[in-house]
Structure formats: structure tokens, C-alpha cells
Amino acid sequence: MLNVQIVLFDGFDLLDALAPYEVFGAAAIYSDNAVTVELVTAEGPRSVPSGTGGLRIEASGRLSPGRGGIILVPGAAGGVDGDGDDTVPAILGRAMLTDLTGLMRQVLDRPDVLVATVCGGSLLLAMGGLLEGRHAVTHRLGMDIFGATGAIPVPARVVDDGSLVSGGGVTSGLDVALYLVDRELGPRIAHEVERLFEYERRGTVWRAHGLAPVMRPPAVDEERTSEAVVPADAADAATASVGERSFVFDGEWDTTIATPVGKLAVRLSIATRTGCIQGTATQGGETVELLNPSMAGDKLSWSMRVSKPMRLNLKFEVAVDGDHMIGSAKAGILPASRLTGRRLR
């Protein structure tokens, strides 16, 4: 018996969840009920508002990480621009902060469970730090931030990473579910479901098997390369100039970042030594280094890897006016979050 649990959360996308539900339901008919499919939540049976006009769907059970089979996580439906509460990043961020992340962490440790995602469902898991180092796909608009979580983005319709199968785009739920029926029950059952729906799976399923394609690097423009060579003395002068400008950032800074999932208090420690900018950031008991800090005009930029409240690679750009700092933090296509701060010493 193949048990399928489709996980709902507030703001989920209807097509992400219900297209696979219908595929697995049809597979049950053609396999003499060798498949069971259930809509569940992390909290238990309840009415769940979707992100499509708030249309509610009844979930009949609680997600059970101890039950073998398939657990499918859909994405969210909402706006893609701005930083409002009804945007996809904000909806996924709220879902990530529920019990769902902890339950899915248990699931990913089980050899008898296959995790499937549709569209932003993979991004939801990645934001919780669950897909680091795993090959997967999400909606094309989220691929940049997906890579910023430590997952390995693959631009394919469906990606099979063993115990993780993901689909990109809303309608990929049909392709993911049909592929899983083929993989778990065989091609004849999958073919009958395709005939019933008058729909054939799209695209080649990407797997890390076979010959790797040879990717030829773009030709180097030698003329531009020669023009870009900077004399050693000029480079030294530029380094000194950067050092002089960066001193205004030195010190301990108490900053706040206004993110789609709430305000974060971050303590920055920045120092310039022998013309090099160094620093750390502390938030929620976690201290990380500022990566590749550099000056551009009067602005300081750097990258930073964080794991709280979600696992992300962030890019910062800030400026100072006396003892006040203002700037932004950004991850992939997510709207930039405003950063403000004051120097403590």
C-alpha cells in the first residue's frame, strides 16, 4: 500500500495540492486501491484557507512523519512583488515557522519516506534549512533565493534527487505526481492516469546519473582583459583609499532588519586593519563572519550566511551618517529588507 500525505498550510496554492491529489486518487482506482491519499496539516484536522481568495479546504488528519510512503508539500499562492503579508515569501516564511519544519526534518531522516514538492514547496523546506546540498527545483521566480539557502537549483521541470522529488512551476504538480506513480507503481498505471486526464508528462526528469554535459566557458575578450589590468602602484593607492573610507564604518553597531517574517536585531562588529575590512554579525545566539566586505563609493557591502530565522545567503549594502547606519539586506528575488542601526562605540 502506497500512503500519500499532502500537507496543507495557510495560504497554500490550490493547484499545487489538488492536482497531485487527483492524480493519486485516479491511480488508486486503476491499482485496485493500492494507493491512499490524505490531506493533512502540521496541526491536525482543520479547515485550511488557501492563498487563492481564501478558499478553504478540509484537512482530515495530522502529518505523520512515522508513516512510510510519500509526503508532498505544495507551494503558496500570493503576490510576488513588494513585501506585504500576502506575498509568497511572507506566506512561506510563516509556514516555515510552524511545526511543519520540525516534522519535515523528522521525515527527511527516514529511509521509507519519499518527500515531494511542487513549486514553492521546495523553497519552504529550503528556508527551514532542510535542503542544503540537495538537488531540486522551485518556481523560476524563486530560483535565486533557492540557491541562497544552500540547496542546489536545477532548472528542470522535475528533479529526482533520490528521496526528494521536486517540480518547478504551479502546473508541475501533475508531472511530479505522474512521475511518482510511474516510479512507485509502474508505467502502466501512470499511463492509464494520463489517458484519463488526457495529459502527458512534460520534460525530462533530471537525475544525477549518466554522462555529465560538457559546459564550455565563454570566450574571454582579450582586449577587455588587457584594459582591466591595474598597475601595482595604482592598486596600492586604491587599497589605501578604501581603508581611509572604511574607517567610518568601524565600531559596534546595533542594527534592525525589517524582514517579511518580522524584525531581526543584529549586532555588527566592523574593523579596518591594514586597509582590510573585517567583521562579524550576531543574531539569535549565532555569530557569523562578514564575507568579502568591499567599498563602492561611500557604501560598504558584504555577504553573510545565516540560519535563523531561515537558512539564507544574504547580501548587504549600507552607508553611515555619523553614528547612524542605513541600508538593505537582500536574498535572491526577495524584496530588499531595510536595515537601520546606531553605533554603540
Side-chain angles (χ1 to χ4, degrees), residues 2 23-24 27 70 176-187 189-190 193:
L2 177 63
V23 169
F24 290 120
I70 296 172
V176 168
L178 284 166
Y179 173 68
L180 292 174
V181 170
D182 185 346
R183 175 173 150 169
E184 300 300 311
L185 299 177
I189 300 296
V193 177

Side-chain angles (χ1 to χ4, degrees), residues 236-247 272 275-277 293-297:
D236 292 342
T239 300
S241 175
V242 168
E244 292 172 2
R245 286 180 284 130
S246 67
F247 276 119
T272 304
C276 295
I277 309 165
S294 62
M295 292 291 302

Side-chain angles (χ1 to χ4, degrees), residues 260-284:
V261 293
K263 293 184 176 181
L264 301 179
V266 180
R267 176 71 61 87
L268 296 176
S269 178
I270 302 173
T272 304
R273 297 184 178 90
T274 63
C276 295
I277 309 165
Q278 301 173 350
T280 61
T282 301
Q283 190 272 325

Side-chain angles (χ1 to χ4, degrees), residues 41 48 73 80 92 138-139 149 187 191 197 240 255 262 299 340 345:
T41 76
V48 188
V73 181
V80 295
L92 293 177
T138 190
H139 191 285
T149 66
H191 180 252
F197 288 2
T255 69
K299 293 183 178 179
T340 57
R345 59 180 183 273

Side-chain angles (χ1 to χ4, degrees), residues 129-266:
L130 303 182
L131 299 189
E132 189 165 4
R134 301 295 299 267
H135 295 91
V137 65
T138 190
H139 191 285
R140 61 179 178 80
L141 294 179
M143 289 290 270
D144 285 343
I145 184 175
F146 193 55
T149 66
I152 304 174
V154 179
R157 180 72 170 174
V158 176
V159 175
D160 183 337
D161 192 45
S163 60
L164 172 69
V165 174
S166 56
V170 180
T171 56
S172 69
L174 286 169
D175 303 288
V176 168
L178 284 166
Y179 173 68
L180 292 174
V181 170
D182 185 346
R183 175 173 150 169
E184 300 300 311
L185 299 177
R188 289 185 291 179
I189 300 296
H191 180 252
E192 285 305 315
V193 177
E194 286 183 341
R195 290 185 61 208
L196 176 65
F197 288 2
E198 296 189 357
Y199 176 86
E200 295 179 353
R201 277 191 285 143
R202 287 175 49 191
T204 299
V205 175
W206 186 96
R207 295 184 297 160
H209 295 288
L211 293 175
V214 177
M215 309 301 289
R216 303 187 185 281
V220 177
D221 189 330
E222 295 181 0
E223 184 176 346
R224 286 188 179 183
T225 302
S226 62
E227 291 175 355
V229 175
V230 180
D233 55 349
D236 292 342
T239 300
S241 175
V242 168
E244 292 172 2
R245 286 180 284 130
S246 67
F247 276 119
V248 299
F249 292 91
D250 287 2
E252 300 288 325
W253 294 87
D254 189 4
T255 69
T256 300
I257 306 174
T259 77
V261 293
K263 293 184 176 181
L264 301 179
V266 180

Side-chain angles (χ1 to χ4, degrees), residues 25-113:
I29 295 173
Y30 287 121
S31 63
D32 195 20
N33 294 317
V35 182
T36 64
V37 57
E38 183 181 16
L39 299 176
V40 300
T41 76
E43 300 79 23
R46 67 182 179 93
S47 175
V48 188
S50 73
T52 309
L55 180 64
R56 290 179 172 271
I57 300 294
E58 292 293 326
S60 60
R62 183 175 188 269
L63 171 60
S64 174
R67 189 195 310 171
I70 296 172
I71 295 178
L72 185 143
V73 181
V80 295
D81 297 319
D83 56 359
D85 290 341
D86 59 349
T87 60
V88 168
I91 295 170
L92 293 177
R94 289 194 296 272
M96 183 269 298
L97 294 175
T98 67
D99 291 341
L100 177 58
T101 297
L103 291 171
M104 291 305 298
R105 182 173 287 109
Q106 297 177 44
V107 166
L108 288 165
D109 291 334
R110 292 182 59 89
D112 60 339
V113 176

